[in-house]
Amino acid sequence: MDEKIALAAEKIKTSKHLVVFTGAGISTESGIPDYRSQGGIWDKFKPIYFDEFMSSRTARINYWQQRLDMEKSLSVSKPNAGHLSIAKLHELGILKVLITQNIDGLHEASGIPLEKIIELHGNTRRVRCMRCKKLISWEKAKQLIDAGDKAPVCPCSGYFKPDTISFGQAMPVEETRKAVILSSKSDVFIVVGSTLLVQPAALMPEYAKNSGAFLIIINLSDTPYDKVCDVLIRGKAGNILERIVKQITP
Ligand code: NAD
């Protein structure tokens, strides 16, 4: 393990175009469950597809109930050692861009400016009208729910929905395009806490690898890229990233 950490640190330190790609696993140490691990969100809830949300009030009410349940952990969560270590890479001027599948906003809270973050699946701390596209804050949406509307509606009659990408919903075009370009340009690409099963987000390491990047995976369970990566570290993101960054910090 020490050798792998030293090699990863050396590659990161000398990289010219470092891309970090994170999934739900980086936030489990902040108390936010991932989807697929035992005890994860899919053990508790069934996913609601975008067309169900748009066509059924019952589905919308269920969706908002799931969002309220997530708020229990989200409202008390703080960036952990993993988020803070990536923020340190930004501070050191090494991080080119952070691509995340996460919707929890913890990377921004860790001190990485939004311009350096690509949120591929949106952010659940914002809420968007599905008709006029207006954004409102989570707090505003919560006020509407508390006032009795279990599936809040915009004054334009569009349905409000957390500003995240549901199953069956189109990916954000600009974010996806930027993520593909920047992944393809990377010389070192780190995956942290992702099963790499959700497409097209999970194709990013492939774009990086095909362009010759050094691929590092830090994850507790298997991914489809384990066999092709250059360094595979099975361990908790917070501890491993902290150890790597310690070796880089002057
Ligand atoms: P996933 O749930 O499919 O997989 C998480 C991976 O992280 C697993 O392989 C697990 O072994 C690993 N893991 C868990 N804790 C870890 C730790 N402490 N250190 C290292 N690895 C750890 O997550 P995914 O691949 O990101 O995809 C699921 C989708 O779920 C994403 O699209 C994302 O939008 C959404 N999601 C986001 C959040 C969040 O924002 N925090 C939470 C749940 C789901």
Side-chain angles (χ1 to χ4, degrees):
M1 176 75 95
D2 286 351
E3 275 170 27
K4 287 183 178 182
I5 286 177
L7 177 59
E10 186 52 36
K11 289 287 179 186
I12 293 167
K13 192 175 174 181
T14 54
S15 72
K16 298 273 178 287
H17 192 113
L18 174 70
V19 177
V20 180
F21 176 94
T22 62
I26 195 163
S27 293
T28 55
E29 292 168 62
S30 292
I32 302 172
D34 61 17
Y35 277 169
R36 292 175 180 76
S37 297
Q38 213 183 357
I41 291 169
W42 292 155
D43 278 357
K44 206 165 159 190
F45 294 117
K46 133 183 157 3
I48 293 166
Y49 281 70
F50 185 62
D51 59 352
E52 289 178 78
F53 180 93
M54 294 305 288
S55 59
S56 149
R57 178 164 160 81
T58 307
R60 286 193 291 282
I61 290 173
N62 288 340
Y63 190 94
W64 278 102
Q65 274 168 356
Q66 292 186 10
R67 175 60 185 86
L68 286 172
D69 189 83
M70 188 183 190
E71 189 60 17
K72 290 180 205 152
S73 51
L74 205 60
S75 61
V76 291
S77 66
K78 291 199 172 52
N80 63 51
H83 299 102
L84 296 174
S85 299
I86 300 170
K88 184 76 189 171
L89 293 175
H90 157 66
E91 223 179 282
L92 291 169
I94 302 175
L95 178 72
K96 192 76 181 175
V97 70
L98 172 83
I99 303 172
T100 189
Q101 293 178 282
N102 292 348
I103 55 172
D104 56 30
L106 287 178
H107 285 298
E108 193 188 354
S110 76
I112 302 178
L114 252 189
E115 311 84 75
K116 247 192 194 178
I117 304 175
I118 300 177
E119 292 177 324
L120 280 178
H121 294 162
N123 189 320
T124 195
R125 296 182 194 257
R126 302 183 298 255
V127 171
R128 190 181 289 277
C129 168
M130 291 292 99
R131 179 180 287 172
C132 71
K133 308 297 175 205
K134 184 176 91 174
L135 279 173
I136 60 169
S137 65
W138 160 253
E139 288 73 22
K140 176 72 192 155
K142 177 78 169 49
Q143 278 170 16
L144 297 172
I145 295 167
D146 290 344
D149 193 351
K150 290 181 180 167
V153 174
C154 180
C156 81
S157 315
Y159 307 134
F160 276 130
K161 177 180 176 294
D163 193 25
T164 56
I165 306 299
S166 296
F167 286 105
Q169 188 173 359
M171 289 288 288
V173 175
E174 188 49 22
E175 280 83 352
T176 309
R177 192 186 70 85
K178 266 167 64 186
V180 170
I181 292 172
L182 291 165
S183 299
S184 304
K185 282 188 181 165
S186 70
D187 59 355
V188 178
F189 190 100
I190 317 176
V191 173
V192 187
S194 176
T195 46
L196 296 177
L197 291 176
V198 179
Q199 302 294 357
L203 285 175
M204 302 306 153
E206 191 162 319
Y207 290 120
K209 191 71 193 157
N210 287 345
S211 311
F214 188 86
L215 180 60
I216 302 167
I217 297 181
I218 303 167
N219 202 46
L220 283 178
S221 61
D222 297 350
T223 85
Y225 292 86
D226 289 358
K227 285 200 174 71
V228 297
C229 74
D230 299 286
V231 174
L232 174 64
I233 304 180
R234 282 269 173 271
K236 287 201 163 190
N239 175 265
I240 301 295
L241 283 170
E242 217 170 34
R243 287 169 66 185
I244 290 175
V245 170
K246 203 170 162 197
Q247 296 201 13
I248 294 169
T249 310

